[in-house]
């Protein structure tokens, strides 16, 4: 969760108090309607009883540029896009929406530590998928090669520099994660009032 440094709030609790004000002029940006950056903030806004207004942009780059420019005040930025702006001081991080602090932002509290309701939605995860009819032996081989690569320190270091951290779960562990993510996305779509277009 990032804010423009010109915003007077310095903590999640202060942001919640400001967002709950009926005449709040806070707006949050996203990479577009139905995008994860929209859904996660809509869920947060709903859970806190906030009055923040959604401003969709045509992509993550334009929404982040709008946050840096002060057109909007709040955004759940992905670590890969937000981290350079946080490091340069152009954005202020308030919290990291995950069960544990980010290794690349150890001084930034989790949303729970900061006194906010966690969304429970990791919006920046990546996984490898294969066509359903891929032979089991080939899937097993690919999985093994991926796990082998993620076990190499130079690969983990390069991924870490992007503001990500590799998990390297097996397909058996990844499948329930994806199923749970689908359920959580459905809740966010409902709360955000997103309609099929």
């Amino acid at each position: 969760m990032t804010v423009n440094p010109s915003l007077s709030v310095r903590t999640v609790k202060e942001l919640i108090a400001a967002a709950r004000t009926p005449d709040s002029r806070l707006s949050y940006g996203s990479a577009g309607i139905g995008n994860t950056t929209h859904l996660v903030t809509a869920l947060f806004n709903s859970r806190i009883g906030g009055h923040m207004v959604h401003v969709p942009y045509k992509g993550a780059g334009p929404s982040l540029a709008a946050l840096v420019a002060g057109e909007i005040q709040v955004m759940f930025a992905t670590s890969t896009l937000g981290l350079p702006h946080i490091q340069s001081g152009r954005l202020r991080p308030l919290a990291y929406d995950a069960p544990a602090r980010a290794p690349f932002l150890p001084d930034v509290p989790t949303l729970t530590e900061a006194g906010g309701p966690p969304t429970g939605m990791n919006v920046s995860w990546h996984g490898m998928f294969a066509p359903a009819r891929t032979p089991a032996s080939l899937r097993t081989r690919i999985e093994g090669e991926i796990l082998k690569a993620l076990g190499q320190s130079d690969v983990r270091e390069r991924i870490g520099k992007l503001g990500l951290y590799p998990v390297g779960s097996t397909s058996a562990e990844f499948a329930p994660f994806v199923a749970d993510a689908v359920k959580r996305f459905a809740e966010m779509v409902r709360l955000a009032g997103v309609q099929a277009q």
Side-chain angles (χ1 to χ4, degrees), residues 8-25:
S8 62
V9 302
R10 299 205 166 265
T11 67
V12 170
K13 288 182 179 180
E14 289 176 356
L15 177 67
I16 291 171
R20 285 179 175 163
T21 306
D23 61 347
S24 171
R25 295 185 180 270

